[in-house]
Amino acid sequence: MFKKVLIANRGEIALRVIRTCREMGIKTVAVYSTADKDSLHVRFADEAVCIGKPASVDSYLNIPHIMAAAEITNADAIHPGYGFLAENARFAEICGEHGIKFIGPTPAMINAMGDKITAKETMIKAGVPVVPGGGGLLESVFEAKEMAGQIGYPVILKATAGGGGKGMRVVWNDSELEKAYDSAKAEAAASFKNDGIYMEKFVVEPRHIEIQVAGDQYGTVCHLSERDCSIQRRHQKLVEESPSPFMTRELRYKMGEAAIKAASAIKYESVGTIEFLVDKNRNFYFMEMNTRIQVEHCVTEEVVNFDLIKEQIKIAAGETISGVNYEPQGHAIECRINAEDPYNDFRPSPGRITTLHQPGGHGIRVDSHVYAGYTIPPYYDSMIAKIIAVARTRSEAIDTMHRALTEYVIEGIKTTIPFHLQLMKDENFRSGNFNTKFLDGFKMK
Ligand code: MV4
């Protein structure tokens, strides 16, 4: 097992990893930017190294600075968390070159899923259902028109280097195609330095359901059931839950098998997630694979009673997994609390937290790095806490969540708590009647 893990991240996920390391008897090294010198991850780690100025490119994305911190502290492994360098194949490779274990998949696995056309081709070969149409880079708008004619409108253009909505355009007819093609290409070039785009049939009002998987270094892969992440706004997830209210035993079995095929196709090692679009008839299609631990991993932990970070570290250290799949027990819901104003288009609201009271009690878990007197810096993402409510049934979990939200006191900044309070009382949300379009029609009272 590792002796000392450096956590190349900040915020709640850095704390989350430090907690598990401490339970496992592993020493930890925090890295931090000058903006984060008063952060809890710095105080909770055994050692801490400042790696640069506030801007991410100067600190949490600065590979030479992070490697230097690992070398001077004698860390034998690096945990990347999520975001920042978590899906950077070159970083994973550099760790290897320095004899430091990257706690995650190999660079080849990251690359195999990082390019979306390659990923889709790999999935087709593996027998995993993908969205019909497309396949391959579009070479011209003429080719795009021809393909749209074959597939039938509506279609969607996506960036092969993309993910998370950038460089994506929905096209409803021939007359819109040229403009959408040009703007998708330009946005892809600007965002990813790669202007490759491809086409798919557009799945109308899909649910976003993802399957958590784990694979060890010896080829064993298992799944840990699903998360429903359909409650999103501008490709930012706000609420996640497990099980999905749309799930059936049969669909879970089929999606679980498909997810295992997907991960096995690249001999996936570490924990990861296969994202699917699911239509109203419960047809499901591979969308992308996240080769990292995700923000919402906690809902899975609560329903399968499993520490995913511990599992990820053990897999990286060469331990085997059993290969059994997991059924969710009970129900878990996560609300992301962001320093944003839900009454003003979710505008970021950084600043000093003057008063803080965190909720607790039966069925409540709070993962957060903030404290009274903490100043949220403006340089990074705005998530300041995750509340996870666990109960036997979905409706009890929603009631527990609502109760916890009423207890939460955060003064000095605006937060998304009022949004979640309203959502937990929304009839359509409570009945499970929602898809990825749900928040388009949601208004704050
Ligand atoms: C789609 C789609 C409908 N049809 N692909 C959004 C992010 C990116 N990873 C892929 N996305 C979508 N791809 C086809 N063929 C609809 C979306 C989509 C979406 C997916 C999941 C969650 C929220 C979403 C919001 C808008 C669009």
Side-chain angles (χ1 to χ4, degrees), residues 68-241:
E71 299 218 305
I72 59 169
T73 55
N74 250 318
D76 50 4
I78 294 184
H79 195 298
Y82 51 68
F84 297 123
L85 298 168
E87 291 175 287
N88 185 312
R90 183 66 192 130
F91 179 60
E93 188 174 61
I94 289 168
C95 290
E97 288 164 5
H98 285 72
I100 293 170
K101 179 67 187 175
F102 176 80
I103 301 175
T106 64
M109 295 167 194
I110 298 173
N111 283 329
M113 290 299 178
D115 182 89
K116 305 306 169 197
I117 292 176
T118 308
K120 203 173 168 185
E121 284 165 355
T122 307
M123 292 306 109
I124 293 168
K125 282 199 201 111
V128 177
V130 301
V131 182
L137 281 174
L138 292 170
E139 298 294 348
S140 67
V141 69
F142 302 103
E143 193 188 327
K145 277 208 173 144
E146 211 168 80
M147 193 177 285
Q150 283 165 16
I151 300 171
Y153 287 102
V155 298
I156 183 167
L157 298 170
K158 292 185 177 181
T160 190
K166 278 233 177 74
M168 226 174 69
R169 295 288 182 281
V170 179
V171 189
W172 294 87
N173 55 57
D174 252 349
S175 71
E176 292 174 4
L177 189 62
E178 184 158 356
K179 200 171 145 226
Y181 178 88
D182 291 340
S183 68
K185 225 172 162 53
E187 192 173 311
S191 308
F192 313 113
K193 300 189 192 101
N194 174 348
D195 71 353
I197 55 173
Y198 65 105
M199 184 183 286
E200 283 178 349
K201 178 83 183 168
F202 180 61
V203 181
V204 182
E205 300 185 358
R207 288 181 178 248
H208 172 139
I209 301 178
E210 56 187 33
I211 306 282
Q212 176 72 52
V213 296
D216 66 19
Q217 295 180 21
Y218 315 96
T220 304
V221 177
C222 70
H223 81 75
L224 298 101
S225 79
E226 79 281 3
R227 293 183 288 262
D228 194 315
C229 307
S230 300
I231 303 294
Q232 310 201 354
R233 187 181 170 276
R234 300 193 184 155
H235 306 295
Q236 293 295 318
K237 295 169 185 167
L238 290 172
V239 177
E240 304 95 349
E241 61 183 300

Side-chain angles (χ1 to χ4, degrees), residues 123 126 219-222 257-268 274:
M123 292 306 109
T220 304
V221 177
C222 70
E257 289 295 299
I260 289 171
K261 272 190 203 167
S264 301
I266 60 163
K267 299 192 168 59
Y268 190 70
I274 318 290

Side-chain angles (χ1 to χ4, degrees), residues 139-422:
E139 298 294 348
S140 67
V141 69
F142 302 103
E143 193 188 327
K145 277 208 173 144
E146 211 168 80
M147 193 177 285
Q150 283 165 16
I151 300 171
Y153 287 102
V155 298
I156 183 167
L157 298 170
K158 292 185 177 181
T160 190
K166 278 233 177 74
M168 226 174 69
R169 295 288 182 281
V170 179
V171 189
W172 294 87
N173 55 57
D174 252 349
S175 71
E176 292 174 4
L177 189 62
E178 184 158 356
K179 200 171 145 226
Y181 178 88
D182 291 340
S183 68
K185 225 172 162 53
E187 192 173 311
S191 308
F192 313 113
K193 300 189 192 101
N194 174 348
D195 71 353
I197 55 173
Y198 65 105
M199 184 183 286
E200 283 178 349
K201 178 83 183 168
F202 180 61
V203 181
V204 182
E205 300 185 358
R207 288 181 178 248
H208 172 139
I209 301 178
E210 56 187 33
I211 306 282
Q212 176 72 52
V213 296
D216 66 19
Q217 295 180 21
Y218 315 96
T220 304
V221 177
C222 70
H223 81 75
L224 298 101
S225 79
E226 79 281 3
R227 293 183 288 262
D228 194 315
C229 307
S230 300
I231 303 294
Q232 310 201 354
R233 187 181 170 276
R234 300 193 184 155
H235 306 295
Q236 293 295 318
K237 295 169 185 167
L238 290 172
V239 177
E240 304 95 349
E241 61 183 300
S242 183
S244 166
F246 198 59
M247 196 47 77
T248 61
R249 265 195 99 78
E250 192 195 357
L251 183 61
R252 180 175 299 121
Y253 179 79
K254 288 200 274 185
M255 290 181 71
E257 289 295 299
I260 289 171
K261 272 190 203 167
S264 301
I266 60 163
K267 299 192 168 59
Y268 190 70
E269 163 201 335
S270 192
V271 297
T273 299
I274 318 290
E275 295 186 347
F276 293 99
L277 292 171
V278 183
D279 73 15
K280 61 181 191 308
N281 300 316
R282 292 194 172 79
N283 297 305
F284 63 90
Y285 309 100
F286 171 85
M287 188 162 48
E288 39 193 84
M289 178 170 187
N290 298 317
T291 55
R292 61 168 190 275
I293 191 81
Q294 285 178 280
V295 175
E296 62 270 28
H297 73 278
C298 310
V299 298
T300 301
E301 295 188 319
E302 297 305 321
V303 293
V304 302
N305 203 10
F306 212 96
D307 180 335
L308 281 168
I309 302 285
K310 189 180 282 179
E311 208 54 27
Q312 190 184 26
I313 293 171
K314 281 163 62 174
I315 288 168
E319 294 191 19
T320 56
I321 61 171
S322 74
V324 296
N325 299 324
Y326 288 78
E327 286 283 319
Q329 299 291 319
H331 201 99
I333 299 187
E334 172 176 282
C335 288
R336 296 190 189 191
I337 310 303
N338 295 343
E340 296 170 358
D341 181 0
Y343 295 101
N344 265 304
D345 205 31
F346 290 80
R347 185 189 317 153
S349 175
R352 184 163 180 272
I353 296 175
T354 52
T355 309
L356 181 72
H357 175 79
Q358 308 257 26
H362 184 60
I364 287 296
R365 164 177 173 184
V366 180
D367 276 25
S368 175
H369 61 292
V370 304
Y371 54 86
Y374 176 71
T375 298
I376 299 151
Y379 310 101
Y380 315 108
D381 81 25
S382 59
M383 194 179 76
I384 55 168
K386 307 184 297 201
I387 312 182
I388 303 100
V390 195
R392 271 190 293 211
T393 65
R394 181 169 189 268
S395 100
E396 288 175 300
I398 293 171
D399 291 339
T400 298
M401 178 65 81
H402 188 273
R403 184 272 295 168
L405 288 161
T406 65
E407 284 177 14
Y408 216 151
V409 181
I410 306 180
E411 287 172 358
I413 56 157
K414 300 280 201 306
T415 76
T416 49
I417 292 170
F419 162 81
H420 290 296
L421 279 167
Q422 190 180 320

